[in-house]
Amino acid sequence: MSAALVLILLSALHLAFGIVRFGARKPGYSHTRDTISELGEVGDPNARLVAYGWFLPVGVALGVVALLVYTPAPAAGALTLCIAIGYVAAALAPCDRGAPAVGSPRQALHNLGGAVEYVGGAAVLFRLSETGGSPYLVAAGAVAVAVVVFSLPALAAVRGLVQRMAEMALFGGLVLALARG
């Protein structure tokens, strides 16, 4: 197993562990309704720990992976970089309470990082589907659906669940891209 694949799997495990751990520590938090970013929102007692002990390590590890794989696998490198940017932005620009679509300038930076992760990630997965087939297309579709759900206030009750599905699609597409070389 390559070093890049090991780093991705460790990052995904670290991410999953953090979602469960910090979700259990946050009163009233719903994995179905609330976004992952809300675990480290401004004012939360765990905000710094979430930002620098959870989001930032994932973003940095994936940034290293992007550097490792870009030359032999440019699409995998681009997908990794999109995800890394999302996590670094979440660490450096925590969301406002409730992760609103519009908020403070910090929220705008947070949302920009999320757009790079999800819109950029979906674009790379669609590109991979042109040569890699339907697994990438399914993953890209899942991420695209997440982008739509995040933009529709009527679906706010399920945005956390949809975000987790999009994360699985991004990481799954990434592992597949690296495994296929």
Side-chain angles (χ1 to χ4, degrees):
M1 186 178 303
S2 74
L5 195 52
V6 169
L7 273 174
I8 289 168
L9 294 176
L10 288 174
S11 295
L13 287 172
H14 182 71
L15 184 61
F17 175 76
I19 291 170
V20 172
R21 178 179 176 216
F22 291 112
R25 293 172 78 174
K26 187 171 180 80
Y29 185 81
S30 166
H31 291 285
T32 302
R33 178 193 63 233
D34 299 322
T35 67
I36 296 167
S37 293
E38 288 174 80
L39 293 169
E41 67 189 3
V42 170
D44 189 89
N46 293 306
R48 290 181 65 85
L49 181 58
V50 168
Y52 300 115
W54 185 38
F55 289 153
L56 192 58
V58 170
V60 169
L62 293 176
V64 169
V65 170
L67 292 173
L68 290 173
V69 303
Y70 187 77
T71 299
L79 179 56
T80 309
L81 187 58
C82 288
I83 302 168
I85 288 169
Y87 280 95
V88 170
L92 300 179
C95 68
D96 294 343
R97 285 202 178 271
V102 178
S104 68
R106 182 190 55 252
Q107 180 67 41
L109 289 172
H110 182 89
N111 290 346
L112 179 61
V116 170
E117 179 178 355
Y118 295 112
V119 176
V124 174
L125 288 166
F126 275 120
R127 182 79 174 150
L128 282 165
S129 74
E130 293 173 357
T131 57
S134 61
Y136 295 111
L137 189 58
V138 169
V143 177
V145 165
V147 171
V148 170
V149 167
F150 269 83
S151 66
L152 297 174
L155 298 176
V158 295
R159 72 181 184 158
L161 176 63
V162 172
Q163 182 188 31
R164 284 151 180 80
M165 292 173 13
E167 291 289 328
M168 287 190 291
L170 287 167
F171 277 89
L174 182 55
V175 168
L176 184 60
L178 287 176
R180 289 186 171 182

